[in-house]
Amino acid sequence: MSLLRHLAVTCLLLLPALPAVAHEPDTRWEAIRAADQRIRWQAEGLTAAPQMAESFTSPLGYRLERYLWKAQKPGGSFAIAVLRDLSEDDHYLSGPVDLIKFATAVLKGLEAPKPQASEPKDVKVATPNGPVLSRRFDLGTRQCVALGFYAQPQVTSSQAKLAKDEPLAEGSLRLDGVYCATAGQPMTAEQVRAYAAGVKLTPRKE
């Protein structure tokens, strides 16, 4: 199964994390025009624009976007990003996200073993978007990293006291992604910082 077709199926596994409409028969994904794409990922080996950018907006108001950057050459790097936006209906996502489980969900079905964590816990990385949590893992002969962060939090007194260098614990906008390096290439801590900083999130156009 191609990565594009696979992603079109397995990203639906992420819907249960949102308000329960996963079994609606009229679920539709629509292509996102280049001018309306909110995620840019500047990282080694990736194409300048994603090969797939699609969105799903539920009747309840939340929006799910998914993006795929394919390798420029066989066995090269690739990246997948999923943006969950509940801001239209004033909801929020809360609590920690298991980055390895996220990676397993979006990579399931690839001709490679199940992702195996190579770090014992998430690592905080400073980026222009603020702090991002990362977790390196192995996917067969590839070394990869999963990244995730919240944005647009519901402001509460407890959140107001958060230090600026601490990741948000909840928010109405959540971005998670996976970047896999070229097969056989290492994934250093310095590269993780560069890949995390390469994710650019822009506001949604109305």
Side-chain angles (χ1 to χ4, degrees), residues 148-165:
F149 65 93
Y150 286 101
Q152 296 183 2
Q154 298 240 343
V155 178
T156 65
S157 58
S158 61
Q159 288 176 330
K161 296 177 181 178
L162 284 174
K164 290 184 179 180
D165 62 347

Side-chain angles (χ1 to χ4, degrees), residues 14-19 62-64 82-87 90-97 149-154 159 168-176:
L14 299 173
L15 287 173
L18 301 172
Y62 74 80
R63 181 181 173 95
L64 185 68
V82 175
L83 180 65
R84 290 173 280 182
D85 185 349
L86 280 71
S87 59
D90 201 30
H91 291 298
Y92 65 93
L93 297 161
S94 62
V97 170
F149 65 93
Y150 286 101
Q152 296 183 2
Q154 298 240 343
Q159 288 176 330
L168 291 173
E170 62 183 32
S172 58
L173 195 67
R174 172 80 192 191
L175 174 64
D176 293 283

Side-chain angles (χ1 to χ4, degrees), residues 84-115:
R84 290 173 280 182
D85 185 349
L86 280 71
S87 59
E88 290 300 307
D89 204 23
D90 201 30
H91 291 298
Y92 65 93
L93 297 161
S94 62
V97 170
D98 188 319
L99 293 176
I100 296 301
K101 285 186 178 180
F102 168 80
T104 300
V106 297
L107 296 170
K108 184 178 180 181
L110 295 180
E111 295 181 3
K114 181 179 178 181

Side-chain angles (χ1 to χ4, degrees), residues 95-198:
V97 170
D98 188 319
L99 293 176
I100 296 301
K101 285 186 178 180
F102 168 80
T104 300
V106 297
L107 296 170
K108 184 178 180 181
L110 295 180
E111 295 181 3
K114 181 179 178 181
Q116 300 294 322
S118 57
E119 291 182 303
K121 61 182 180 180
D122 295 347
V123 177
K124 184 174 63 180
V125 182
T127 78
N129 292 316
V132 172
L133 292 178
S134 72
R135 187 91 176 269
R136 281 180 282 183
F137 64 92
D138 295 326
L139 187 71
T141 60
R142 293 182 184 273
Q143 293 189 20
C144 309
V145 63
L147 305 168
F149 65 93
Y150 286 101
Q152 296 183 2
Q154 298 240 343
V155 178
T156 65
S157 58
S158 61
Q159 288 176 330
K161 296 177 181 178
L162 284 174
K164 290 184 179 180
D165 62 347
E166 288 298 323
L168 291 173
E170 62 183 32
S172 58
L173 195 67
R174 172 80 192 191
L175 174 64
D176 293 283
V178 167
Y179 174 91
C180 286
T182 300
Q185 295 299 311
M187 176 73 70
T188 66
E190 290 74 17
Q191 287 170 316
V192 168
R193 286 194 289 271
Y195 300 152

